[in-house]
Amino acid sequence: MDGSNGILDVEDILNGDMEDRIAVLEKKVAQQDDEIVCLKTALADVVRRMSNLEGKRPGKFSPARPSHMVLPSKLNMSNGTPKKPIHNFPMAKRPSTPDHTKKITNSNSDLRRWASADGNSFPSPARRSSSLTNLSSPKPRNTGPPVSKEANYNKEEGFVKIYLRGRGITMYAPSSMPDYTISKGAQAPSQKLKLDWVYGYRGRDCRSNLHLLPTGEVIYFIAAVVVMYNVEEEMQRFYLGHTDDVKCIAIHPDKVTIATGQVAGHDRKSDAKKSPRTASAASSTSSSTEDAADDETDSTDIKCYVPHVRIWDSISLTTLRIIGIGEFERAVCCISFSKADGGSHLVAVDEANDHVLSVWEWNKGEKGTKLTETKSATEPVLAAEFHPMDHKQIISCGKSHISFWTIEDNRLTKKSGVFEKHDKPKYVTCLAFADNGDVISGDSNGNIFVWGKGNTRIHYAVPSAHEGPIFGLYVMKDGTLLSGGGKDRKLLAWDRRYIQKTDVEKELPEGTGPVRTITQGKDNQILIGTTKNAILQGSLTSDFYSIVQAHTDELWGLAVHPASRQFLTCSYDRHIILWDSSSHTQVWTKTIDDGCQSAGFHPSGTVIAIGTVTGRWLAIDAASRDLVTVHTDGNEQHDCMEYSPDGHYLAVGSHDNYIYVYAVSENGYKYNKVGRCNGHSSYITHLDWSADSQYIQSNSGDYEILFWSASTCRQVTSASSMRDIEWSSQHCTLGFSVCGIWQEGADGTDVNAVCRSHDKTVAVSGDDFGKVNLFKYPCCQPKSHSNSYSGHSSHVTCVRFLKDDSRLISTGGKDMSIMQWRLSS
C-alpha cells in the first residue's frame, strides 16, 4: 500500500472526527443559549408579578424602591450591610466612601476613573428604556461609543434638550428670552484667569523634589505645576508646561536649567479636537513668558499626554527641550543631570515593569539624543544619580538593590552592591555623595552605608542610625551629613567620620509627618519635605516651622466666606482648613473623626456646615472652631451642604438619593429637621437655593433636574413653572443657564463642578481632565467656547468665586492641590 495514501486516509478520519466534535459543541452552545433565554424570561416574569402585587406597573420607577435594577455580579456590602441596588442609568462620578486603610500610591492611577458608590459599571443609556420582558429576545450589545445627538430647541414649549450619552435632558428657558435660538455656541469671554497661588506640595510618594535656586526661590511641584516660591517676598512663579502629574525634578549644574518628568496623561480624544471650539488661554504668572510655555504645550498635540521629560529655563520659564516622547511607558520616576562634564547628559528611569534606565545627550538635536538604555531592575527604582566626580558612572537604588552603572562606548554595564555580612535591606531608599566621592546610602532598616568611590562594597557602616527607615540624606556645604527618619521623624547630623553630633537632634512635629527629602536653604537654613505634604524650614540650632502645608488625601470640600476673602477646604484626611486668600496662609485647622466630603458657610459667616463620608454632618463655629451641633442622616456621604440665602434653612444632599432639609435659627446655632426630599433615583450631586429661599433645584447622578419646596420638602413636578425663578447661585451643572458648558461627546460625568460669578458675567467649570474652563454667563448656547486652563492633574472637584469675584478657588481630587486664580479683564 502506498504510504502517502495511508497518511491521507488517517487525515480524512481525523478531519471527520473533528467536524463531528464541533457539531456536538455547537449543539450544546445552542441549548445553553436557549436555557439562558428561558431563565431571563422567567426572571422578567417574576419581577413583573412582584410589581403587580405591589400595585405598580412594570417598567415604572419608584424613587424609594425601584423596580428596574441592574443585578450586581456579587453582593455589594458596606459595613456588613447590603447596599441599595443601583439603577440602570449612566451615573455621574462621585467618589464612594473612602477606605482610609488603603494607601494612595499614584494619582495617575485608575483612581482617576473611579466608579460610583457601589463600584458597578453601567450599561449604555440606550438600554434604559428596555423592560425586563425584552430579555427573552436579546439584542447585540453596542460596545462602541454612544451616538452623539444634537441639542434642539422646542420654541412652542420654550425648552432646550441636550443629550448626554444618548439621554435627553430638558431645560426650560426663562420667559424673558422669547427670541432664543440655538446657535453654534457663544464666544469665549473677554475675562481671563491667571494662576495666582498654589497651595500644597507632593511629598507623600515623591523623593528629591525640593531644591533652592540661586534666585532664593524654593522649587518643588504639585499636580502638573512646578512652583518657584520666594518665601521672603511671598511670591510664587509657575512652570505650566506639563499635562499631568509631575513625578520628578533635577537641577542642572548651572542652577538655571531644570528637568522635570511626568506620568502618562489623560489622553482624552476630545483634547485633539477641542481647538475649533475652545479658545485655549495659557495660565500665567506675572511673567508673560509663561504663556509661551503653555502655547507650546497646546501645539504639541496629543503626544504630550505620554510620559516625557521637559527641560526648561527657570528664569524665562521657556521650554528648551521635550525629550522621550514615545520612549517611556508609565511615568518618569527618576531623573538626574551629570555634574562632572557640565551637565550635558541626563539619566531617566521609567516606572514601568522593566524600569528601563536611559541616558540622554539632552542638548543635542531638537528632541535630544538617546545614547543608550537598559532594563535596570525587576523591582521598583527609587533614585538614580550621576556621580558628581565621574560623568560615566551612575548609581541607582530601590527595592532590594543598589547598582553601580558604567557608561562605555554608549553601553551600560552594571555591578550590584555587595552587602556581605550586613543584612540586605528590603529597600535602599536614598543616596548622597561625600566630598571625597564616597557614595552614601540610607535604607529601610535605618542603616547608613558608605560605599568607597569606585567600589561596590561597603566601606563603612552606621547600623540602626534611625529607628525605622531613612528617607532622606543630604551633605551640607561644610561636609556635615544630615539624615532624616521616615518613622522616628528625627533629623540627625553626622561629621565627616560619620560620628553623630550628639548636640544636634531634631524631632519634627507629628502633624507635619516624617522626613521625605532634605536640602540646604539660604545660609545655614535647612529645608525639609515631609511625607504629609509639608515643607519645613529651620536650622540645626533653631526650630522648624511649616512654610507649605495643605491636605494629604482626596479633596472635595470647598466653601467661600460670604463676606471676606477667606475660604475653607476639607478632605478625606479629616482636616478642615480655613485659608486667607490675601496672605496665602492658614487661619486655623481642625481635625475631626471622619473624612470630609463637602462644606458650606452660613450667610452670616459665623458657622460652617461640614458633610462627612459616614452620613454624619456637623456645624462648627467659624471663629473658635467649637462644635455647634452634630446630626446623622443615613450612612452614606453627604455630597453638598447649602444654606439658604436668608440663613433659615440648610439643605444636605446625600449619596443615599435624599435631600435633608433643616430649619436654622439663632444665626446658625440651632437646627431642627423639616424633612427629606424624596424623588431622585440616584445620589445628589449639586444643589442651589432660590433667591427668596423658598425653592431648591437639584441634580443627581442620573442627570435629573428636580425642584422642591423647601418648607414642605415636596417636589414641584412642573419644571416649566420654575423657569422664571431667580437662583441665588449656580452650582448645579445641569440647567438652562449652563447648558453650554457641555461639549460634544460629553458623557455627563466629565463636569464635576460649576460656579457663576456674583456679578453674573462669567461661569467656570471644573472637569475630569484637570481643566478649569471659563465661560460667558449665561452660558445657554450648547457647545459654547471657553478659555481653558491647565494646572490640576486630577479631576477638578470644586470651583468657587470669592465674594468680590477677584479670585477663583479650584480644588483637585487625587492631586490634593488648591489653586487660586486671579480674574482679570
Side-chain angles (χ1 to χ4, degrees):
M1 186 175 89
D2 193 324
S4 62
N5 290 335
I7 293 173
L8 291 173
D9 291 340
V10 173
E11 289 179 350
D12 291 339
I13 293 171
L14 291 175
N15 290 337
D17 186 47
M18 184 64 70
E19 290 175 358
D20 291 341
R21 291 184 180 182
I22 292 174
V24 171
L25 289 173
E26 287 178 343
K27 186 177 180 180
K28 286 184 177 179
V29 170
Q31 291 173 347
Q32 290 173 350
D33 284 343
D34 292 339
E35 291 173 358
I36 292 173
V37 171
C38 290
L39 287 172
K40 289 181 177 179
T41 305
L43 176 61
D45 186 61
V46 169
V47 173
R48 185 170 57 254
R49 289 173 183 271
M50 290 175 63
S51 299
N52 290 335
L53 289 174
E54 294 174 3
K56 298 175 183 176
R57 188 178 63 189
K60 190 100 173 178
F61 286 99
S62 171
R65 191 173 180 181
S67 59
H68 282 200
M69 303 176 183
V70 174
L71 298 179
S73 58
K74 61 181 179 179
L75 186 64
N76 292 302
M77 304 290 288
S78 177
N79 298 325
T81 305
K83 285 190 177 182
K84 296 181 181 179
I86 301 296
H87 301 282
N88 193 1
F89 284 123
M91 297 296 186
K93 283 188 274 250
R94 279 279 178 169
S96 60
T97 302
D99 183 356
H100 293 288
T101 63
K102 295 181 180 178
K103 212 168 184 179
I104 294 178
T105 56
N106 187 352
S107 67
N108 186 50
S109 67
D110 291 338
L111 290 170
R112 187 176 292 111
R113 301 287 183 191
W114 73 99
S116 64
D118 293 300
N120 293 321
S121 59
F122 301 97
S124 168
R127 300 180 61 200
R128 187 178 72 88
S129 60
S130 301
S131 68
L132 289 174
T133 58
N134 292 332
L135 289 172
S136 58
S137 55
K139 298 178 181 178
R141 185 173 180 179
N142 180 17
T143 57
V147 178
S148 177
K149 294 184 180 181
E150 291 293 327
N152 59 75
Y153 177 59
N154 186 316
K155 190 171 184 179
E156 293 181 359
E157 299 292 333
F159 65 77
V160 172
K161 180 175 281 190
I162 68 171
Y163 294 86
L164 298 178
R165 291 189 63 86
R167 181 181 180 183
I169 301 169
T170 301
M171 306 172 185
Y172 284 88
S175 303
S176 59
M177 300 181 67
D179 299 327
Y180 173 84
T181 56
I182 287 184
S183 65
K184 293 183 179 179
Q187 293 300 313
S190 60
Q191 295 94 323
K192 308 291 183 183
L193 289 176
K194 185 177 180 181
L195 191 57
D196 182 51
W197 201 265
V198 176
Y199 302 85
Y201 157 74
R202 182 170 180 171
R204 73 190 190 282
D205 60 352
C206 294
R207 304 163 191 274
S208 302
N209 62 345
L210 182 64
H211 303 274
L212 182 71
L213 298 178
T215 55
E217 297 167 307
V218 181
I219 184 169
Y220 55 94
F221 55 77
I222 183 171
V225 180
V226 185
V227 182
M228 287 148 284
Y229 177 25
N230 191 313
V231 180
E232 294 179 354
E233 298 181 9
E234 277 295 317
M235 290 180 60
Q236 285 186 348
R237 296 187 302 134
F238 316 101
Y239 177 74
L240 296 167
H242 285 281
T243 57
D244 210 285
D245 279 301
V246 180
K247 196 70 185 290
C248 54
I249 187 170
I251 310 299
H252 192 274
D254 65 11
K255 303 296 183 182
V256 174
T257 306
I258 312 294
T260 42
Q262 75 164 63
V263 304
H266 302 300
D267 197 17
R268 177 175 130 182
K269 291 182 179 179
S270 58
D271 280 346
K273 298 187 278 186
K274 72 178 180 178
S275 54
R277 189 183 312 113
T278 305
S280 179
S283 310
S284 62
T285 64
S286 56
S287 173
S288 62
T289 55
E290 199 163 293
D291 294 333
D294 259 349
D295 292 338
E296 184 175 351
T297 303
D298 294 336
S299 66
T300 316
D301 66 35
I302 205 70
K303 291 182 180 179
C304 278
Y305 290 90
V306 300
H308 61 273
V309 176
R310 304 181 77 91
I311 300 172
W312 47 280
D313 187 296
S314 62
I315 303 299
S316 64
L317 301 177
T318 54
T319 303
L320 306 176
R321 296 285 192 285
I322 301 176
I323 67 173
I325 297 290
E327 299 286 346
F328 303 104
E329 182 179 340
R330 185 176 301 168
V332 184
C333 61
C334 307
I335 51 176
S336 173
F337 283 106
S338 57
K339 282 84 173 174
D341 62 353
S344 61
H345 293 86
L346 179 83
V347 61
V349 179
D350 191 351
E351 201 173 45
N353 294 337
D354 290 333
H355 305 287
V356 173
L357 184 148
S358 56
V359 179
W360 300 75
E361 200 168 353
W362 67 269
N363 56 359
K364 184 177 181 180
E366 183 180 349
K367 299 180 181 180
T369 301
K370 183 168 66 174
L371 300 180
T372 184
E373 67 173 24
T374 187
K375 296 179 182 179
S376 65
T378 57
E379 301 288 356
V381 177
L382 303 182
E385 297 276 351
F386 272 101
H387 195 287
M389 297 180 181
D390 186 355
H391 69 278
K392 292 188 176 182
Q393 186 177 27
I394 299 169
I395 296 89
S396 65
C397 67
K399 186 174 182 180
S400 302
H401 75 273
I402 180 170
S403 301
F404 299 83
W405 303 85
T406 303
I407 307 172
E408 289 291 346
D409 298 326
N410 289 342
R411 295 184 63 184
L412 282 164
T413 56
K414 180 176 79 170
K415 291 183 180 180
S416 297
V418 181
F419 290 90
E420 295 179 324
K421 61 181 180 180
H422 303 283
D423 291 337
K424 189 174 184 179
K426 186 174 182 179
Y427 285 93
V428 179
T429 53
C430 51
L431 296 171
F433 298 92
D435 295 341
N436 62 0
D438 288 347
V439 179
I440 309 168
S441 67
D443 62 41
S444 55
N445 293 337
N447 304 318
I448 296 176
F449 291 141
V450 181
W451 310 76
K453 181 183 177 183
N455 202 337
T456 60
R457 296 180 181 275
I458 296 173
H459 171 67
Y460 188 81
V462 183
S464 302
H466 283 265
E467 180 185 348
I470 298 173
F471 280 172
L473 291 172
Y474 189 82
V475 177
M476 302 283 283
K477 293 176 182 178
D478 62 1
T480 300
L481 172 67
L482 300 179
S483 62
K487 180 182 178 181
D488 59 16
R489 307 195 313 277
K490 290 183 179 179
L491 179 70
L492 305 180
W494 312 81
D495 63 20
R496 294 179 185 271
R497 296 177 296 169
Y498 305 105
I499 298 175
Q500 183 180 352
K501 297 182 178 181
T502 55
D503 58 332
V504 179
E505 181 176 314
K506 296 288 183 179
E507 184 171 343
L508 304 185
E510 184 176 357
T512 61
V515 176
R516 172 62 77 189
T517 187
I518 309 169
T519 193
Q520 186 158 3
K522 278 188 175 181
D523 303 324
N524 63 342
Q525 293 288 305
I526 298 169
L527 297 169
I528 297 176
T530 75
T531 58
K532 288 190 176 180
N533 297 343
I535 299 177
L536 308 180
Q537 181 172 278
S539 70
L540 296 176
T541 57
S542 63
D543 293 332
F544 283 84
Y545 57 93
S546 174
I547 59 174
V548 175
Q549 188 170 13
H551 290 285
T552 59
D553 207 339
E554 188 168 344
L555 174 59
W556 281 82
L558 171 64
V560 296
H561 196 282
S564 70
R565 289 189 173 185
Q566 294 179 345
F567 64 93
L568 179 139
T569 58
C570 56
S571 163
Y572 289 174
D573 62 7
R574 303 181 294 112
H575 292 308
I576 304 168
I577 305 176
L578 182 66
W579 303 88
D580 186 285
S581 65
S582 299
S583 62
H584 314 117
T585 57
Q586 296 182 7
V587 178
W588 54 254
T589 181
K590 180 180 178 69
T591 303
I592 62 174
D593 294 334
D594 302 320
C596 304
Q597 180 70 37
S598 55
F601 269 96
H602 187 271
S604 65
T606 58
V607 175
I608 308 160
I610 305 293
T612 73
V613 298
T614 62
R616 290 203 314 159
W617 66 268
L618 54 143
I620 59 176
D621 188 286
S624 66
R625 290 171 277 177
D626 293 335
L627 190 65
V628 174
T629 187
V630 179
H631 291 265
T632 300
D633 291 300
N635 58 5
E636 298 190 56
Q637 66 195 38
H638 296 318
D639 292 312
C640 35
M641 309 286 292
E642 299 285 351
Y643 283 97
S644 60
D646 62 6
H648 293 164
Y649 290 101
L650 171 67
V652 181
S654 178
H655 219 69
D656 62 7
N657 305 0
Y658 299 118
I659 301 171
Y660 301 91
V661 180
Y662 283 79
V664 183
S665 57
E666 298 181 11
N667 214 24
Y669 287 87
K670 187 175 181 181
Y671 295 81
N672 292 301
K673 193 171 185 178
V674 175
R676 69 180 185 184
C677 302
N678 177 1
H680 275 294
S681 52
S682 184
Y683 52 87
I684 314 303
T685 58
H686 305 90
L687 292 175
D688 286 305
W689 281 92
S690 62
D692 61 6
S693 301
Q694 297 301 305
Y695 298 102
I696 301 169
Q697 69 171 344
S698 57
N699 293 165
S700 61
D702 56 357
Y703 319 149
E704 284 183 322
I705 308 172
L706 298 185
F707 302 92
W708 314 87
S709 170
S711 59
T712 63
C713 294
R714 291 183 179 177
Q715 182 181 347
V716 180
T717 56
S718 174
S720 60
S721 66
M722 304 296 290
R723 68 196 319 157
D724 293 322
I725 296 294
E726 180 184 357
W727 300 100
S728 65
S729 62
Q730 185 61 63
H731 297 159
C732 287
T733 58
L734 295 172
F736 177 79
S737 59
V738 290
C739 66
I741 69 175
W742 297 96
Q743 303 301 309
E744 184 176 358
D747 67 356
T749 68
D750 290 343
V751 180
N752 297 312
V754 69
C755 183
R756 76 173 183 216
S757 59
H758 295 86
D759 63 7
K760 301 181 181 180
T761 59
V762 292
V764 66
S765 71
D767 64 30
D768 258 4
F769 306 98
K771 295 291 192 298
V772 174
N773 308 292
L774 187 67
F775 297 87
K776 281 184 178 179
Y777 186 86
C779 183
C780 51
Q781 292 296 341
K783 305 174 189 176
S784 292
H785 299 248
S786 69
N787 296 325
S788 186
Y789 301 86
S790 300
H792 290 285
S793 59
S794 178
H795 44 286
V796 180
T797 54
C798 197
V799 287
R800 292 289 185 268
F801 283 99
L802 296 185
K803 181 62 178 177
D804 59 1
D805 290 334
S806 63
R807 302 288 190 278
L808 171 80
I809 309 298
S810 62
T811 56
K814 293 295 182 182
D815 67 29
M816 295 166 280
S817 65
I818 306 164
M819 298 192 185
Q820 180 173 306
W821 309 80
R822 184 191 301 269
L823 181 65
S824 58
S825 300

